Amino acid sequence: MHCQCKFIEEARVPDHTADGLRGLVAAFLSRHDPGGARTDFLRARFDAGLARVDFPVGLGGLAAPRHLQPVVDEAFARAGAPDNRPRRNSIGLGMAAPTLLRHGTPAQRQRFLRPLWSGEEIWCQLFSEPDAGSDLAGLRTRAVRDGDDWVVTGQKVWTSMAHRARWGILLARTAPDAPKHRGITYFVCDMTAPGVEVRPLRQLTGEAEFNEVFLADVRLPDALRVGAVDDGWRVARTTLMNERVAIGGRPLPREGGMIGVLTRLWRERPELRTAGLHAEVLRVWVRAEAARLTALRLRQQLAAGEPGPEGSAVKLSFADLAQRISGLEVELLGEQGLRHDDWAMRRPEEPDLLGRTAAYRYLRARGNSIEGGTSEILRTVIAERVLGLPAEPRAER
């Protein structure tokens, strides 16, 4: 177990208020120089329970209400403290961490959460396969028990950050004769293990954010299994619900994100305006603001529990808006909007939607309706699990 400083003892006091947390941050900063080594500072912040205040005591948190996290983050930001570069490890922070907290063993939580949060270990998601993307439960990657190990064979695709990842969250079929949702087991995969091969997938933008991952007799100890054998689908649902919130529910200020790029262009280039385009800009601005407020409300609801199927609606709206806004920007710019600045093959740590050209944004936004659950699948989730409509006919039933 990591050494815990005396702030953990202070954290046991049940009076978790905004002022109390600001006091804890001030006391922490009096003992830890934010201008020092980034990793050491972030490790100490985790040990002090000031990483994610809603996490359990001893695991980076204070067991405090989730809605108080911005209080802590703002206090550290005002002091010029380094953050953990969350977009660089969005899968680890947004998907792996909540899944491990809910379903992992005490040993797994102690081993993985601290270096995950500090950014020392990057994570990827090994779910989608060439023949099992939208129909995720149809996956074919196999895991066969061999003593205290599992031997994994198969292929994964569209894996963000696999080329940088130390660990991956993996779904594999362990009972091939069981109904497809019941024969899956959830693992943590060592991305440095023999038999793991990562190949880049070049995209429409010229970059290769994504990868295909080949698993050839990869041996994983049973200690890396998360949840019960053949119960991986239940564990995976926790990951998927958090994924959709992580993709579509990031907190933004008004006119933050891609809508801000479009509105700045509209204000700064009056010669491009037409009456028809004015109406379209107004429509997407209203939709973007409604989506932002809906995502904010969802994050507030999360303070009271786990994410549910409502996150699918946020992600669906995000994908549709990104494509509409980027298309409108290209239309506004005309021929200039078609000029792509760089087709070079690169391996970015994250897509730079705001710092590139309109053509790049247009091309990259095409993937928003596929990654993190296709828009078609999300509409089915919303229809069945939010609106309560009759279930879609399924062949396996």
Side-chain angles (χ1 to χ4, degrees):
M1 181 180 294
H2 302 302
C3 177
Q4 305 294 316
C5 67
K6 72 176 185 177
F7 295 106
I8 292 299
E9 294 302 320
E10 296 173 4
R12 297 184 191 278
V13 178
D15 181 22
H16 294 308
T17 64
D19 287 341
L21 290 176
R22 291 187 189 99
L24 284 178
V25 173
F28 177 87
L29 291 170
S30 71
R31 294 167 173 81
H32 300 276
D33 179 9
R38 169 186 287 271
T39 300
D40 291 344
F41 183 88
L42 292 173
R43 287 174 179 171
R45 179 176 166 181
F46 183 94
D47 292 342
L50 296 170
R52 277 287 303 271
V53 297
D54 57 308
F55 281 12
V57 172
L59 292 173
L62 305 173
R66 188 195 301 250
H67 72 267
L68 291 173
Q69 183 63 43
V71 174
V72 172
D73 292 340
E74 289 165 9
F76 277 110
R78 283 196 301 270
D83 66 11
N84 58 351
R85 297 170 180 158
R87 294 191 63 184
R88 182 171 173 263
N89 198 18
S90 59
I91 293 170
L93 295 165
M95 303 173 212
T99 303
L100 290 169
L101 275 173
R102 184 172 176 83
H103 301 283
T105 65
Q108 288 169 346
R109 292 193 288 264
Q110 286 289 341
R111 165 61 186 86
F112 293 123
L113 288 178
R114 188 183 192 234
L116 183 161
W117 186 84
S118 67
E120 296 170 76
E121 294 179 343
I122 304 299
W123 287 64
C124 67
Q125 182 189 42
L126 301 166
F127 279 22
S128 295
E129 298 185 2
D131 296 318
S134 298
D135 181 21
L136 179 58
L139 61 88
R140 298 180 181 179
T141 294
R142 291 286 308 276
V144 178
R145 189 72 180 259
D146 182 19
D148 292 332
D149 292 342
W150 293 85
V151 180
V152 182
T153 304
Q155 180 184 354
K156 300 293 181 176
V157 74
W158 305 119
T159 308
S160 302
M161 295 303 291
H163 56 294
R164 300 286 177 87
R166 175 65 179 84
W167 302 100
I169 45 179
L170 166 71
L171 290 181
R173 188 160 299 286
T174 46
D177 296 328
K180 65 180 185 180
H181 288 85
R182 299 179 187 171
I184 295 171
T185 302
Y186 196 113
F187 297 93
V188 172
C189 180
D190 182 354
M191 296 299 290
T192 66
V196 177
E197 181 186 0
V198 178
R199 300 179 189 172
L201 282 173
R202 197 171 188 188
Q203 299 153 236
L204 196 61
T205 60
E207 299 177 332
E209 295 171 49
F210 303 102
N211 306 272
E212 51 186 344
V213 179
F214 296 86
L215 306 164
D217 296 329
V218 177
R219 300 188 74 89
L220 300 176
D222 188 56
L224 292 179
R225 172 173 49 83
V226 181
V229 175
D230 298 336
D231 194 32
W233 187 252
R234 184 172 65 89
V235 181
R237 286 179 63 177
T238 298
T239 303
L240 294 171
M241 290 300 100
N242 280 281
E243 175 185 34
R244 288 157 191 170
V245 173
I247 291 176
R250 296 189 184 101
L252 290 172
R254 175 172 289 183
E255 294 194 2
M258 289 180 65
I259 191 63
V261 175
L262 179 63
T263 54
R264 282 193 298 274
L265 176 64
W266 181 264
R267 293 179 181 121
E268 294 171 3
R269 299 283 302 276
E271 74 277 9
L272 301 176
R273 301 174 189 170
T274 67
L277 286 175
H278 186 208
E280 286 299 313
V281 170
L282 285 174
R283 286 191 189 97
V284 296
W285 189 96
V286 170
R287 289 193 58 191
E289 182 63 8
R292 183 185 75 85
L293 294 174
T294 300
L296 177 62
R297 184 177 64 180
L298 177 64
R299 296 185 72 86
Q300 292 170 343
Q301 291 173 342
L302 289 180
E306 294 289 320
E310 297 84 359
S312 297
V314 173
K315 194 273 173 180
L316 178 65
S317 176
F318 164 80
D320 182 63
L321 269 171
Q323 293 177 356
R324 288 177 181 269
I325 292 169
S326 61
L328 189 53
E329 182 186 10
V330 169
E331 184 178 357
L332 191 60
L333 287 168
E335 292 182 3
Q336 181 186 349
L338 299 176
R339 297 172 185 164
H340 189 14
D341 57 341
D342 186 3
W343 288 96
M345 164 66 170
R346 291 187 293 184
R347 307 280 273 157
E349 293 188 351
E350 61 187 61
D352 184 16
L353 286 174
L354 305 184
R356 299 287 296 278
T357 62
Y360 173 87
R361 283 186 283 277
Y362 179 82
L363 295 174
R364 180 59 183 83
R366 300 306 100 189
N368 292 152
S369 55
I370 302 172
E371 58 194 351
T374 67
S375 293
E376 292 77 12
I377 291 295
L378 296 183
R379 289 188 179 97
T380 300
V381 171
I382 294 165
E384 295 179 2
R385 299 182 59 199
V386 179
L387 301 178
L389 297 178
E392 183 180 78
R394 290 174 172 81
E396 66 270 18
R397 295 180 180 176

